[in-house]
Amino acid sequence: DGFRVQVGMGTCGISSGSRPILNAFLEEVDVKNLENVTVTQVGCMGECAYEPMAEIIDEVGQSFVYCNLSILMVKEIIEKHMINHQPVTKYLLSSRKDK
């Protein structure tokens, strides 16, 4: 009934800076008082070159994998995707792998 955020915390993710990304999701969800969001960590997401990564699963089960994340990107993703229901396509793994 809400969003699930899964941040890749495998060795490659951690070495690429996923811990601050996990913390940014947790903090921003708290600041925005979003009660329909669960933030969790997962292991390797299988695309080491694109870490740090996070998968967002929406209310209907659709998956969106964001990659090469920064803290500013996390804030934008929460505002646009999770609050306004408009995925930020330029940050999606599928968009970046095509380049």
Side-chain angles (χ1 to χ4, degrees):
D1 65 340
F3 285 92
R4 180 176 177 88
V5 179
Q6 301 181 148
V7 179
M9 295 290 287
T11 304
C12 54
I14 292 170
S15 67
S16 296
S18 61
R19 175 90 46 212
I21 298 303
L22 175 67
N23 291 336
F25 271 109
L26 290 167
E27 290 168 13
E28 198 66 17
V29 164
D30 187 48
V31 166
K32 299 284 187 187
N33 203 23
L34 301 176
E35 296 180 4
N36 66 334
V37 178
T38 302
V39 179
T40 187
Q41 61 185 44
V42 295
C44 179
M45 295 185 71
E47 293 285 353
C48 301
Y50 295 95
E51 292 283 1
M53 296 172 60
E55 178 181 20
I56 295 179
I57 303 168
D58 68 13
E59 303 98 323
V60 296
Q62 189 171 5
S63 170
F64 300 84
V65 179
Y66 289 98
C67 65
N68 299 121
L69 292 171
S70 70
I71 292 171
L72 290 175
M73 291 165 68
V74 167
K75 292 179 179 190
E76 184 178 353
I77 290 165
I78 288 176
E79 185 68 34
K80 290 183 177 174
H81 187 158
M82 299 172 76
I83 294 174
N84 294 315
H85 301 281
Q86 298 174 344
V88 187
T89 56
K90 65 184 176 182
Y91 300 151
L92 291 173
L93 178 64
S94 57
S95 296
R96 292 182 170 208
K97 283 183 81 170
D98 290 340
K99 294 181 179 182

mmCIF file of all heavy atoms in Angstrom, residues 20 37 67:
data_model
loop_
_atom_site.group_PDB
_atom_site.id
_atom_site.type_symbol
_atom_site.label_atom_id
_atom_site.label_comp_id
_atom_site.label_asym_id
_atom_site.label_seq_id
_atom_site.Cartn_x
_atom_site.Cartn_y
_atom_site.Cartn_z
ATOM 1 N N PRO A 20 25.733 6.702 2.640
ATOM 2 C CA PRO A 20 25.107 8.036 2.686
ATOM 3 C C PRO A 20 23.793 8.102 1.899
ATOM 4 O O PRO A 20 22.893 8.861 2.258
ATOM 5 C CB PRO A 20 26.166 8.957 2.071
ATOM 6 C CG PRO A 20 27.460 8.227 2.211
ATOM 7 C CD PRO A 20 27.118 6.771 2.141
ATOM 8 N N VAL A 37 6.147 4.803 3.197
ATOM 9 C CA VAL A 37 7.437 4.442 2.611
ATOM 10 C C VAL A 37 8.237 3.577 3.576
ATOM 11 O O VAL A 37 8.380 3.919 4.746
ATOM 12 C CB VAL A 37 8.257 5.703 2.256
ATOM 13 C CG1 VAL A 37 9.621 5.323 1.691
ATOM 14 C CG2 VAL A 37 7.499 6.591 1.278
ATOM 15 N N CYS A 67 20.238 4.724 -10.458
ATOM 16 C CA CYS A 67 21.661 4.400 -10.345
ATOM 17 C C CYS A 67 22.534 5.651 -10.297
ATOM 18 O O CYS A 67 22.079 6.760 -10.584
ATOM 19 C CB CYS A 67 22.080 3.500 -11.498
ATOM 20 S SG CYS A 67 21.982 4.270 -13.116
#
